[in-house]
Amino acid sequence: SYHSRGETIFEAIRKMTTIAARKPYFAHLQVVVLGEDLAKEGISDALDLIVRDHEFRKDFDVIMSHESTAKEVLNVLTPIEKVPANKMLNSLDVSERAWGSTIAVNIDELINTLSNKHKGALISAIEVHGDKRLGVDQTNVQRVKTPVLLRYTGLAVFKGDKYMGLLTESESKSISFLNDKIQSTIEIIACPNKGTLSTEITQSTTKVKGSFKNGKPKIDVHINVEQNVGEVECDIDLTKNKSIDYVNKKTAQGIDDRIEKTVEKIQQQYEVDVFGFGDALHRADPKQWKKIKDDWTSIFPDLAVAVHVKVTTQGSGTMQNSLLNKPKEE
């Protein structure tokens, strides 16, 4: 693994050729890690160079290192795969499919989003956990319990090409619901009396509809969710329709509340449309959109957004009640 520094990305890559035995070969590139400091200054030049260079393959993912340098992230040798890029891509893929708080963003998608002045980009952020110096050490691979780990930590919000701030894991999950990217995740709800119940979301479909009323834009988000009941840690009779209705309603309410809070935070704190709501309004009424698009930056923070979540539970008639709460035999 080689690294080098330069005043510009171009200079850094050219400098690398003086260290390496031969010119660096970028055709196998799988992932580019952007450092947080670079991201704060702006990522356009770096991406522009990479895209123009014919040696770089064009189907890699882009992530940002948070509170760690890109070098520190790449230094972490992992127990399963010795190539950090493989580890990062695999965990990005797994967490996108099973949890929903990361988004795999390839270079083409990112460039398209950055070139659209009405949209904001999102990139998954990664952190190094543990003593960063140990990441370089080969013993990191040999130890059973790794002292250094790479962990995705949420989504980085960009305004233009500059990094503005990090969304929490919960907020990042809300973005995945809004962008119709949830493949599977877990929801936890409170039971009617005490205790909790967790459900596994098996399918989620989101439709974003834009509309104009008296020239005023509005967004309606309709989310249809299917789930299975997972772990039951309370006293609830799941053979009763009333209980299933309760579970559906509470799950929908939880998802709805979280999404509304996330939308509000992005509208108020970041003032950047990372949802593509502008695109939805454009599709709904191109003429009306044309009238407001130049003022989109100032309209977006006050845009009316209504979220409608409908949840259904599969196989409710055959559900068994939890064994946890059955009285123990003396």
Side-chain angles (χ1 to χ4, degrees):
S1 147
Y2 298 104
H3 74 276
S4 66
R5 276 177 182 275
E7 287 296 313
T8 64
I9 303 280
F10 188 72
E11 186 191 345
I13 288 173
R14 284 290 165 260
K15 267 190 184 176
M16 204 184 287
T17 61
T18 64
I19 309 160
R22 57 180 186 270
K23 197 173 173 213
Y25 182 60
F26 297 112
H28 295 309
L29 189 74
Q30 289 177 291
V31 65
V32 162
V33 185
L34 301 169
E36 189 175 342
D37 290 344
L38 171 72
K40 282 175 182 165
E41 287 174 25
I43 59 174
S44 288
D45 289 350
L47 298 178
D48 193 44
L49 173 77
I50 292 167
V51 169
R52 281 168 191 267
D53 194 321
H54 63 89
E55 288 177 17
F56 281 89
R57 56 186 265 187
K58 298 292 184 270
D59 58 347
F60 57 87
D61 286 342
V62 181
I63 60 178
M64 188 192 88
S65 60
H66 179 247
E67 291 182 356
S68 312
T69 65
K71 182 190 167 192
E72 282 164 347
V73 167
L74 291 168
N75 266 342
V76 177
L77 286 162
T78 58
I80 306 164
E81 295 125 318
K82 289 191 182 180
V83 181
N86 286 347
K87 160 73 179 178
M88 285 189 280
L89 283 176
N90 287 351
S91 54
L92 185 62
D93 183 46
V94 169
S95 65
E96 184 176 31
R97 278 184 286 123
W99 186 241
S101 64
T102 59
I103 297 175
V105 179
N106 76 27
I107 186 72
D108 285 340
E109 291 172 308
L110 185 55
I111 298 275
N112 283 339
T113 306
L114 291 174
S115 61
N116 180 341
K117 66 176 189 288
H118 303 300
K119 272 176 104 170
L122 293 165
I123 301 176
S124 287
I126 197 164
E127 279 179 355
V128 177
H129 281 246
D131 185 344
K132 292 169 188 172
R133 290 166 307 177
L134 287 172
V136 191
D137 189 352
Q138 199 62 29
T139 56
N140 197 33
V141 179
Q142 287 146 12
R143 288 191 183 109
V144 179
K145 190 173 186 306
T146 316
V148 194
L149 287 171
L150 295 175
R151 197 177 85 87
Y152 284 103
T153 187
L155 296 172
V157 179
F158 283 75
K159 195 170 189 174
D161 75 332
K162 291 180 175 62
Y163 165 59
M164 303 304 291
L166 193 71
L167 299 178
T168 65
E169 211 168 31
S170 168
E171 289 161 350
S172 301
K173 203 162 121 177
S174 295
I175 300 269
S176 293
F177 269 111
L178 279 161
N179 290 349
D180 201 16
K181 297 264 190 188
I182 288 281
Q183 294 176 56
S184 173
T185 190
I186 303 295
E187 292 292 326
I188 296 166
I189 63 166
C191 291
N193 302 316
K194 59 177 186 194
T196 59
L197 176 153
S198 63
T199 71
E200 181 201 4
I201 306 295
T202 53
Q203 201 179 346
S204 175
T205 312
T206 303
K207 287 194 166 48
V208 176
K209 288 191 173 157
S211 60
F212 288 87
K213 196 172 180 183
N214 304 324
K216 212 174 157 62
K218 188 194 174 195
I219 292 287
D220 282 282
V221 180
H222 295 271
I223 304 174
N224 280 323
V225 174
E226 284 182 24
Q227 67 178 10
N228 291 322
V229 171
E231 206 170 341
V232 180
E233 294 186 354
C234 65
D235 188 13
I236 186 169
D237 187 352
L238 293 172
T239 58
K240 289 199 161 74
N241 284 341
K242 188 176 75 172
S243 299
I244 297 301
D245 290 344
Y246 172 86
V247 170
N248 290 343
K249 195 175 160 195
K250 286 295 273 188
T251 310
Q253 201 181 335
I255 294 169
D256 191 320
D257 288 352
R258 223 177 37 232
I259 289 173
E260 284 185 13
K261 283 196 182 89
T262 302
V263 170
E264 197 178 326
K265 178 177 175 176
I266 286 170
Q267 283 181 299
Q268 301 308 315
Q269 193 173 321
Y270 296 115
E271 301 181 345
V272 56
D273 180 8
V274 295
F275 312 112
F277 287 161
D279 293 345
L281 290 164
H282 184 205
R283 283 194 303 272
D285 194 330
K287 277 187 186 165
Q288 292 279 12
W289 168 250
K290 202 175 175 186
K291 287 180 190 171
I292 67 161
K293 72 173 185 179
D294 291 340
D295 301 317
W296 185 234
T297 313
S298 55
I299 290 168
F300 173 75
D302 298 313
L303 177 70
V305 181
V307 181
H308 318 269
V309 184
K310 186 173 183 285
V311 177
T312 51
T313 300
Q314 298 148 318
S316 53
T318 58
M319 275 184 199
Q320 296 297 307
N321 287 313
S322 171
L323 297 171
L324 288 171
N325 299 293
K326 294 206 170 157
K328 289 191 177 78
E329 290 176 19
E330 294 300 323

